[in-house]
Amino acid sequence: MSDATAKKEERRKFQAIKGTRDILPPETELWNRVEQTAHEVFATFGYGEIRLPIFEPTELFARAVGGETDVVAKEMYSFIDRAVPDIDRASGEVFSREVLYSSGDAFARYVQRFEGFLDRLKEAYEMGEIPNNDANRAVIEKLENYRAIARERTKWGDLQASSEAVADYAAASFAFLQHMQLGYSLALRPEATASVCRAYIENGMQSLPQPVRLYYTGPMFRRERPQKGRYRQFYQIGAEILGGTDAPAIDAEVIEMLMTFFDKCGLQGATLYINSIGHNADNCRRGYVELLRSELQKVRERLGEDSKRRIDTNPLRVLDSKLASEQAIIATLPHIADHLCDDCKTHYAEVKRQLEVRGILYQENWRLVRGLDYYMRTTFEITAPGLGSQNAVCGGGRYDGLVELLGGPPTKGIGFAIGEDRLILSLQESGKGQVQQGRDVYIAWMGERAYAAAIHAAKDLRKAGFSVELPPVEQKFGKALGQADKLGAKYALILGDNEVSEGLWTLKTLSTGEQAKFPEPDLLEFLRQQKNVSS
């Protein structure tokens, strides 16, 4: 590489990773407004905020989301957390080919080194530094057997022969060692419901008054193809109710809270879709799934490859298909609502009645399903304008079996997740995403006496809640007013020797050019009144 090329590489600009982006001012003001609205609305319904780790054990999501789903199988960012690099390094040294086929005193030293390695491995296992599981226990037992053989054979007179014999065994042990997990498999969270349920179990929240109402905000991570409103690091606002009963009123209130939030955000044109997927029984969803599979087999050759695969693995997912060529076929398939058991039919009818009592408009969508067994009964989705064909901005439903699946007691549960990126995009597309730009007040000062007054004024204005720009160096008034205009300031507070001497401060409204003089207390009161009028 030439010097010029090397220098060019050094100067190469770093860029955000594909599928991620920087959210900059003033757009961040809109994000803050949306999140603050969530805090305020959810609190009025009795929800408390939970803050969750960004990474969790991979197995948590494999069990909760489903090991065969695209999210877990293809999209999750997972990695091995190697907390004990000394073991990783030592295993390479102990089982290197040169050491394995050493002889004489060198072989005796190898046996000593191996024993030290095995003792450290056992210590790490017992202390939880490496996963304490069946696979690792089997490896350690295998290596313990090898140690016993190695000790015995080093007593023989023919060290060369013994070294070759033990080396063969050690090589086999090394192959076995490849199955050892020297670190925990962790994953960046692709969603948060599993984490909330884990926290509910781990922190003994089942002992609290039920149900427990929790909400969260934050980034999630999936390696999917970036497209409009979809990113590999994306943001969600979600809420979960855990414990208590599965009364239809709870489902309806969750949806009511959600629609209240969207209304407060100014989202227009949102449409609520609902469905019931029953529960996992032969006279309900399980029976419907078998009927659906049978009907899909009849048209198998007319379906795409993904749908053909799903006939065997998860027929409900065929209903999610967006392929234009499959829509007419799907339209002829049986509806799950016609195959619910009596209890689930009653529950669904009451959910709809509760929504009507609350004045919430909805449309039924029989294709709105969830593929995992622990999901049951109520499912819902909200779409918003300005997002193209992939227009869902929120999805939710009931998952009464998830907490138990993750090792907790039988627990009722229902929740939702809002795609914040897509919500922000929809607000912007509809013209409801305007945010205040610029400063409230730009202080144009000249002279040392005026600078002291400017510092005092900036402090009082900020204390009163106004955004203020105070230049660090003196400027001519013309330049200062030009800078105020560039920053989008509403007002320029002009302070010179005359203003300080008179105790009257000049305030110029930059949009109209009008200006007036105020004593300091009157200035603050005037700005408060103007702020109230504009808001």
Side-chain angles (χ1 to χ4, degrees), residues 217-262:
T217 64
M220 312 294 158
F221 305 86
R222 296 183 190 179
R223 196 185 187 286
E224 53 184 356
R225 184 171 62 85
Q227 52 185 298
K228 185 178 182 180
R230 290 187 182 274
Y231 302 92
R232 291 178 176 179
Q233 176 177 321
F234 57 98
Y235 296 82
Q236 286 188 346
I237 300 171
E240 319 288 346
I241 291 187
L242 296 168
T245 74
D246 61 352
I250 291 178
D251 303 30
E253 187 182 81
V254 167
I255 296 172
E256 178 187 9
M257 181 177 78
L258 186 55
M259 301 307 287
T260 301
F261 166 72
F262 284 135

Side-chain angles (χ1 to χ4, degrees), residues 336-375:
I336 192 169
D338 299 329
H339 299 274
L340 299 176
C341 67
D342 290 342
D343 286 346
C344 288
K345 284 181 181 177
T346 301
H347 186 277
Y348 186 38
E350 181 61 15
V351 168
K352 291 186 284 187
R353 191 188 75 81
Q354 288 279 347
L355 291 174
E356 291 160 5
V357 168
R358 289 167 166 79
I360 298 172
L361 301 177
Y362 64 85
Q363 296 181 30
E364 295 184 71
N365 180 359
W366 69 276
R367 291 177 58 175
L368 189 57
V369 296
R370 298 288 185 268
L372 300 176
D373 286 347
Y374 57 78
Y375 281 107

Side-chain angles (χ1 to χ4, degrees), residues 211-484:
V212 174
R213 293 176 167 87
L214 301 168
Y215 76 93
Y216 59 85
T217 64
M220 312 294 158
F221 305 86
R222 296 183 190 179
R223 196 185 187 286
E224 53 184 356
R225 184 171 62 85
Q227 52 185 298
K228 185 178 182 180
R230 290 187 182 274
Y231 302 92
R232 291 178 176 179
Q233 176 177 321
F234 57 98
Y235 296 82
Q236 286 188 346
I237 300 171
E240 319 288 346
I241 291 187
L242 296 168
T245 74
D246 61 352
I250 291 178
D251 303 30
E253 187 182 81
V254 167
I255 296 172
E256 178 187 9
M257 181 177 78
L258 186 55
M259 301 307 287
T260 301
F261 166 72
F262 284 135
D263 182 61
K264 294 282 187 183
C265 286
L267 182 66
Q268 297 179 335
T271 303
L272 167 67
Y273 296 94
I274 65 170
N275 192 27
S276 175
I277 57 172
H279 74 296
N280 195 33
D282 289 339
N283 67 336
C284 201
R285 183 172 71 238
R286 192 158 58 226
Y288 169 74
V289 168
E290 290 308 312
L291 172 63
L292 181 62
R293 179 179 281 117
S294 175
E295 293 299 313
L296 287 169
Q297 290 288 9
K298 298 176 183 177
V299 294
R300 186 184 189 98
E301 295 310 311
R302 297 164 57 194
L303 299 175
E305 291 305 313
D306 281 346
S307 291
K308 287 179 181 178
R309 175 175 52 82
R310 287 169 176 166
I311 292 175
D312 301 318
T313 60
N314 197 338
L316 288 175
R317 292 294 309 281
V318 176
L319 303 181
D320 289 334
S321 171
K322 301 297 187 292
L323 287 180
S325 60
E326 295 182 347
Q327 301 311 301
I329 299 171
I330 293 173
T332 65
L333 296 172
H335 294 199
I336 192 169
D338 299 329
H339 299 274
L340 299 176
C341 67
D342 290 342
D343 286 346
C344 288
K345 284 181 181 177
T346 301
H347 186 277
Y348 186 38
E350 181 61 15
V351 168
K352 291 186 284 187
R353 191 188 75 81
Q354 288 279 347
L355 291 174
E356 291 160 5
V357 168
R358 289 167 166 79
I360 298 172
L361 301 177
Y362 64 85
Q363 296 181 30
E364 295 184 71
N365 180 359
W366 69 276
R367 291 177 58 175
L368 189 57
V369 296
R370 298 288 185 268
L372 300 176
D373 286 347
Y374 57 78
Y375 281 107
M376 62 183 296
R377 293 185 170 172
T378 307
T379 61
F380 55 91
E381 181 177 88
I382 295 168
T383 62
L387 299 175
S389 59
Q390 300 288 324
N391 59 351
V393 74
C394 175
R398 179 162 286 284
Y399 49 83
D400 290 355
L402 180 54
V403 171
E404 188 174 6
L405 180 68
L406 297 178
T411 305
K412 306 295 183 184
I414 185 172
F416 62 80
I418 300 164
E420 190 175 1
D421 307 78
R422 299 173 67 73
L423 171 58
I424 295 291
L425 180 59
S426 184
L427 290 172
Q428 292 170 330
E429 293 285 335
S430 65
K432 295 294 183 178
Q434 301 95 337
V435 294
Q436 177 182 326
Q437 299 187 37
R439 316 291 190 269
D440 292 319
V441 180
Y442 186 97
I443 301 179
W445 62 273
M446 183 174 287
E448 282 301 316
R449 291 178 62 208
Y451 184 49
I455 293 173
H456 173 72
K459 184 176 182 180
D460 287 347
L461 287 166
R462 288 165 177 158
K463 187 176 180 180
F466 296 98
S467 61
V468 178
E469 182 77 14
L470 176 62
V473 296
E474 184 176 319
Q475 297 173 319
K476 292 182 178 180
F477 283 132
K479 184 177 180 181
L481 294 177
Q483 183 68 8

Side-chain angles (χ1 to χ4, degrees), residues 49-124:
E49 183 182 11
I50 183 171
R51 300 196 177 190
L52 300 158
I54 282 181
F55 53 88
E56 298 267 12
T58 302
E59 178 59 24
L60 174 68
F61 301 115
R63 194 180 302 181
V65 181
E68 300 301 318
T69 62
D70 286 348
V71 171
V72 172
K74 300 178 182 179
E75 299 173 358
M76 224 163 42
Y77 287 96
S78 57
F79 59 96
I80 301 297
D81 181 26
R82 293 185 180 271
V84 281
D86 59 312
I87 290 179
D88 208 11
R89 183 174 58 254
S91 66
E93 294 173 354
V94 169
F95 292 103
S96 69
R97 186 174 184 86
E98 292 76 12
V99 172
L100 289 176
Y101 289 96
S102 60
S103 60
D105 292 340
F107 178 73
R109 287 195 300 272
Y110 156 69
V111 173
Q112 289 181 336
R113 185 185 299 176
F114 170 75
E115 293 208 2
F117 164 74
L118 182 53
D119 288 340
R120 176 70 183 97
L121 190 66
K122 290 175 63 179
E123 177 188 38

Side-chain angles (χ1 to χ4, degrees), residues 453 456-458 460-461 503-505 518-526:
H456 173 72
D460 287 347
L461 287 166
L504 295 174
W505 295 359
F518 297 90
E520 181 184 0
D522 293 351
L523 174 73
L524 285 171
E525 183 57 32
F526 173 79

